[in-house]
Amino acid sequence: MELNKFIDHTLLKADANQIEIDTLIQEAREYDFKSVCINPTWVAYAAEQLKDDDVLVCTVIGFPLGATSTAAKVAEANIAIDQGADELDMVINIGAVKSGNWYQVQQDIQSLVEILDGRAILKVIIETGLLTEEEKVKVCEIAKEAGAHFVKTSTGFSTGGATIADVKLMRETVSEEMGVKASGGVSNRQEALDMIEAGATRIGASKGIAIVNPS
C-alpha cells in the first residue's frame, strides 16, 4: 500500500507563515503525498511551486465554520480553482442541518458541484462532532446525490476529529461511489491504517511524515 498517496499533508492554522508553507511543500515533494492542504491565501503560491510535481493543491472553502453564504462559497471556490487548486474541501452549512433545512444544505453543496466542470474535486466536510448519527447519514446522502466526490469527517477545528465509527458509517452510507476522507486527530501509522480499514480513501493530517515514516 502506498500510504503516502492517501495523505493530504495539511497546514490550516491561522498563523501559518511563509517558512512553514515552504516546509510543507518541500515535505510533500519529498514524501510524494497526495496533496498539500492549505488555506486559500496560499493556493496560487503552492500551485506555482508544485507545477512540476506529482502533488496536488487542496484548499478549504467556507472554512472552518461553514456559515458563509452559498454565493460566498461559490466565489471562493472559483477563485481557488482559477489560482490552481485541484481539490476543494468545503464545510457544509451546519446551522442549516441543525435547523432541518435540508434544501439549503443541498443547495449549498450543489452550487459548488455545478461550477466544477471537471476542474476540481469536491470534498464535503460534514463536521461529524457536531452532528447526530441521523444527521451524518442525511448529509452524506445529500452530498452523494448532489454529485460531490468525497465526504470528509471534520475540519479539525471543532469539538472532535475522525473516529472509526464515523468513517464506517460514512462509508456504509455513500457505498463505494464516493471517497471518504478521515481528518482530525490522525497522528500515526496505525491510526491511519485503522481509518483506511474502516473505509477511508484519504487521510487529512498535519502529521503525515510520522504516519508514513514512524520512528
Side-chain angles (χ1 to χ4, degrees):
M1 178 189 296
E2 290 185 291
L3 192 54
N4 56 311
K5 282 303 185 185
F6 281 81
I7 293 174
D8 291 342
H9 196 38
T10 302
L11 178 57
L12 293 169
K13 64 180 184 176
D15 60 347
N17 61 41
Q18 181 78 60
I19 293 172
E20 291 172 310
I21 293 295
D22 284 335
T23 299
L24 187 84
I25 290 169
Q26 184 54 43
E27 290 171 348
R29 280 199 193 100
E30 181 180 349
Y31 290 91
D32 194 24
F33 289 131
K34 183 69 175 180
S35 79
V36 291
C37 187
I38 50 177
N39 279 302
T41 190
W42 296 107
V43 166
Y45 179 75
E48 175 64 25
Q49 295 298 307
L50 291 167
K51 64 183 180 181
D52 297 322
D53 293 275
D54 184 31
V55 178
L56 301 178
V57 175
C58 172
T59 195
V60 287
I61 304 296
F63 194 85
L65 301 178
T68 48
S69 68
T70 296
K73 290 177 182 177
V74 168
E76 190 175 23
N78 269 318
I79 292 168
I81 294 170
D82 288 345
Q83 290 185 338
D86 302 294
E87 300 191 340
L88 309 174
D89 289 16
M90 181 202 79
V91 187
I92 63 166
N93 188 325
I94 301 163
V97 172
K98 290 301 181 181
S99 302
N101 190 342
W102 299 113
Y103 176 78
Q104 187 175 359
V105 176
Q106 190 273 338
Q107 285 296 107
D108 207 40
I109 300 169
Q110 186 71 50
S111 294
L112 263 72
V113 170
E114 289 173 356
I115 67 163
L116 295 177
D117 194 28
R119 298 182 298 159
I121 294 295
L122 179 64
K123 309 191 199 90
V124 176
I125 307 174
I126 72 172
E127 202 67 281
T128 50
L130 299 179
L131 306 185
T132 66
E133 187 158 314
E134 292 76 13
E135 289 166 345
K136 294 169 194 175
V137 169
K138 182 71 171 176
V139 175
C140 285
E141 290 173 343
I142 289 172
K144 180 179 178 181
E145 184 177 346
H149 301 92
F150 278 75
V151 284
K152 174 179 170 181
T153 58
S154 322
T155 61
F157 286 77
S158 187
T159 58
T163 68
I164 295 295
D166 282 337
V167 170
K168 284 182 176 178
L169 179 66
M170 293 163 71
R171 172 54 66 204
E172 289 167 3
T173 303
V174 303
S175 67
E176 297 302 317
E177 297 172 38
M178 293 179 73
V180 174
K181 180 174 173 178
S183 186
V186 183
S187 59
N188 61 55
R189 182 180 183 87
Q190 190 56 56
E191 289 174 352
L193 291 173
D194 289 344
M195 292 295 176
I196 292 168
E197 184 177 357
T201 49
R202 195 75 67 86
I203 305 291
S206 59
K207 304 281 181 62
I209 294 173
I211 290 171
V212 301
N213 190 29
S215 56

